[in-house]
Amino acid sequence: MASSGELKKSITWLQGTAMTIGAVIGAGILVLPAIAADIAGPASLASWLLMGLISLPMLAAIAQMSSRYPNSGGIAAYAQQAFGPGMGRLAGFLIFSAMPIGLPPTALIGANYLCSLFGWGTGAAHIAAGALILTAVALNLRGIELSGKSQLFIVSAILLILIFVVLSSLAEIRPANFTPFLPHGLGAVGHTMSLLFFAFLGWEMIGHLAEEFKDPRRDIPLSLGAAYVIVNIVYLAIALVVVGSGVYKSGNPNIAMVSLIKLRWGEPAAVLVGLLGFVVCYCPVHTYIAGFSRLFYAQAREGYFPKCFGELHPLYGTPFRALQLFVPLNLSLLFLSWALSWDLKPLLGIPSATFLLVYTIGMFSAAKVLPVKSGRLCGLLSGTLSLAVFAFSGWYMLFPLAVALYFVVRYKKEFF
């Protein structure tokens, strides 16, 4: 018989750090440094540094909200606390609408890296992506403690490989590759920053796991702080060797990392980068499935969904019905992607725009709710930044705006 009790408090700050790093660092680390360098030249290093600094107030607001008000609803719970049930329901449904769209292509990107090693085709890539999602669901079903330990191992492997890439490439750095520093002007630096914003998304997922930390007031700020330092060091280090070696000038940015390692190690680099791409894509899938299931559980607990989704597994204490729901949703989208040969760009652009709107709601909620002046200032600054970037999302913004319009009309009594 399923239990409706509380989620088990088992996450340590170390496991929280690994899960946060896994949510933030995605496959973009393999291509974004080269793309950024191609746009802004050596000045792209400034773009990475500035985006790291700009993301700091967002991180501070999330840390304060999650540690002060631990709730599996995450941003949806904070929006309800700040602006009422209508906004909480809206934030939650925006996340629900984005997750099933965004996760299959993320898994598929990782699967394509793996399949490139063996020469497998499109069908095999979709099967591998489905296996990746099922693995993440299975580990999350067994409990957040096992899930956190597995994520700790995987993230450690990723960081070791990236450190290897950086150290093995230091000898290829040439001072001449840093001049001229601003080949395309300051405007290129700003354009690159808007692109790199998406490399700094994912911090909010820790909010959905807040109830399961052993000591949220201490461990959540520690997890976010440690993850912030590690992520920024990794980003800057990879960007430094990409610019310093000049490898981004060789052409296709998708193979810049392969080319970088080949400079020193030759053909075996393809195997290393292929495995890295697959594992890097697994991490956000794993963490976002954990966050999605907790959010669905929290919303069911609030009465927004059938009560059965608010039940916990009698043995593992996990929101198993939400995890079970995730399987047919994602596998169906993977099948349609294969059958209809869908373009991955909209499947990534739509959830990105949706999450930017969610960030905007969450950060303005923090600005209203947090009792500390510095926290309110961080929330206001981050909310304004998220809204500004959302405005440049192009037609992808139409999806979350349509969802928002529907909710305001459908549940207007909860908004007005």
Side-chain angles (χ1 to χ4, degrees):
M1 181 177 178
S3 168
S4 57
E6 295 184 352
L7 292 163
K8 184 180 178 182
K9 298 183 182 298
S10 59
I11 302 178
T12 65
W13 74 268
L14 197 58
Q15 293 168 352
T17 299
M19 298 190 80
T20 305
I21 293 172
V24 176
I25 292 183
I29 190 61
L30 301 178
V31 296
L32 278 177
I35 293 174
D38 188 54
I39 295 172
S44 63
L45 294 172
S47 299
W48 284 101
L49 180 61
L50 289 171
M51 276 310 306
L53 293 174
I54 288 172
S55 69
L56 188 56
M58 181 184 295
L59 193 80
I62 292 172
Q64 291 191 47
M65 288 295 291
S66 300
S67 59
R68 287 178 180 273
Y69 313 108
N71 190 301
S72 295
I75 286 179
Y78 310 145
Q80 179 173 339
Q81 187 177 351
F83 301 111
M87 193 62 76
R89 189 193 293 256
L90 170 59
F93 197 80
L94 281 169
I95 297 174
F96 294 141
S97 66
M99 286 275 193
I101 299 174
L103 272 180
T106 302
L108 195 54
I109 291 171
N112 282 329
Y113 272 101
L114 185 66
C115 291
S116 68
L117 296 177
F118 305 104
W120 295 344
T122 302
H126 282 77
I127 292 173
L132 187 150
I133 290 173
L134 289 174
T135 300
V137 170
L139 286 173
N140 275 292
L141 180 63
R142 288 294 304 271
I144 201 66
E145 188 171 4
L146 174 62
S147 179
K149 288 178 179 178
S150 66
Q151 190 81 328
L152 181 60
F153 172 77
I154 293 168
V155 167
S156 297
I158 290 172
L159 293 177
L160 285 174
I161 293 174
L162 291 175
I163 290 170
F164 167 75
V165 171
V166 171
L167 293 179
S168 63
S169 305
L170 290 176
E172 307 300 329
I173 294 177
R174 302 289 182 268
N177 288 324
F178 293 96
T179 57
F181 188 73
L182 278 168
H184 307 296
L186 287 173
V189 175
H191 177 61
T192 303
M193 287 176 63
S194 66
L195 175 69
L196 298 183
F197 185 87
F198 299 103
F200 291 87
L201 296 177
W203 308 108
E204 83 288 346
M205 293 311 298
I206 202 168
H208 299 301
L209 307 176
E211 288 187 43
E212 295 166 87
F213 274 82
K214 291 181 177 180
D215 186 353
R217 290 296 292 268
R218 182 198 67 182
D219 292 343
I220 289 178
L222 273 175
S223 295
L224 284 170
Y228 173 83
V229 171
I230 293 170
V231 165
N232 278 275
I233 289 175
V234 168
Y235 281 169
L236 285 171
I238 293 293
L240 177 67
V241 295
V242 166
V243 170
S245 66
V247 71
Y248 67 95
K249 300 175 184 177
S250 62
N252 187 355
N254 292 326
I255 62 171
M257 197 70 75
V258 176
S259 301
L260 186 62
I261 305 177
K262 276 185 177 179
L263 290 174
R264 181 71 179 272
W265 300 102
E267 288 300 328
V271 176
L272 179 67
V273 174
L275 291 174
L276 176 63
F278 181 72
V279 176
V280 163
C281 287
Y282 173 81
C283 286
V285 169
H286 182 102
T287 304
Y288 273 85
I289 284 177
F292 174 89
S293 62
R294 271 67 181 176
L295 174 60
F296 209 99
Y297 159 80
Q299 294 274 286
R301 197 171 55 183
E302 293 291 330
Y304 296 148
F305 293 107
K307 289 185 178 180
C308 64
F309 289 106
E311 297 175 350
L312 300 177
H313 194 280
L315 180 59
Y316 304 125
T318 53
F320 68 106
R321 296 196 190 279
L323 288 167
Q324 290 171 345
L325 178 65
F326 213 87
V327 173
L329 280 175
N330 282 270
L331 294 187
S332 297
L333 272 173
L334 276 174
F335 174 77
L336 290 173
S337 170
W338 169 74
L340 303 177
S341 300
W342 279 349
D343 184 2
L344 288 181
K345 288 182 180 178
L347 296 180
L348 293 172
I350 289 173
S352 293
T354 304
F355 269 99
L356 277 169
L357 186 56
V358 171
Y359 263 93
T360 302
I361 295 171
M363 293 302 98
F364 284 137
S365 299
K368 184 176 181 180
V369 169
L370 287 173
V372 182
K373 185 177 180 180
S374 61
R376 294 196 298 271
L377 182 62
C378 287
L380 185 62
L381 180 62
S382 299
T384 303
L385 173 65
S386 299
L387 185 60
V389 178
F390 175 74
F392 288 94
S393 299
W395 71 267
Y396 296 132
M397 71 169 67
L398 296 179
F399 178 81
L401 288 177
V403 172
L405 179 62
Y406 166 79
F407 261 78
V408 171
V409 173
R410 175 68 175 80
Y411 300 103
K412 57 185 177 183
K413 291 183 179 179
E414 296 183 8
F415 285 92
F416 305 106

